[in-house]
């Protein structure tokens, strides 16, 4: 009699369920090749185009007024995230 051993590899026990949960919450799946291209290779970690687009949509409040981020502010945020000061 053959016994069936469950597959306990991380891909099946954690990664695929996590991916399914994120997709059900409205996140989009990005294929590894597309992700690598958007990151500009293995050295980059940011999806710059996605980050910039999201930052353009965000608003913040100051003294009861709602504002968008300026282009300079968005550029600075991307620079800061792309090259964090390791001593901080």
């Amino acid at each position: 009699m053959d016994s069936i051993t469950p597959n306990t590899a991380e891909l099946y026990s954690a990664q695929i369920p996590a991916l399914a949960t994120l997709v059900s919450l409205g996140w989009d799946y990005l294929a590894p090749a597309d992700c690598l291209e958007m990151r500009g290779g293995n050295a980059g970690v940011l999806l710059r185009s996605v980050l910039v687009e999201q930052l353009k949509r965000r608003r913040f409040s100051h003294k009861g007024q709602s504002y968008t981020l300026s282009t300079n502010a968005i550029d600075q945020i991307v620079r800061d995230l792309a090259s964090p000061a390791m001593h901080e």
Side-chain angles (χ1 to χ4, degrees):
M1 177 187 236
D2 291 324
S3 65
I4 298 176
T5 304
N7 189 335
T8 58
E10 183 179 357
L11 176 66
Y12 298 102
S13 65
Q15 293 179 7
I16 291 175
L19 180 60
T21 299
L22 291 170
V23 169
S24 72
L25 291 171
W27 290 77
D28 295 323
Y29 174 77
L30 186 60
D34 295 335
C35 182
L36 189 62
E37 181 181 329
M38 290 174 74
R39 287 177 26 212
N42 284 327
V45 295
L46 296 178
L47 302 177
R48 288 178 188 261
S49 60
V50 175
L51 176 59
V52 169
E53 191 58 38
Q54 288 299 314
L55 290 172
K56 286 179 180 179
R57 293 181 188 177
R58 303 292 182 222
R59 299 186 70 76
F60 66 96
S61 296
H62 179 70
K63 296 184 179 181
Q65 297 290 323
S66 182
Y67 300 93
T68 58
L69 292 168
S70 69
T71 302
N72 288 341
I74 290 172
D75 290 343
Q76 184 63 47
I77 291 168
V78 172
R79 278 193 304 274
D80 289 347
L81 290 173
S83 302
M86 299 307 285
H87 65 279
E88 294 181 357

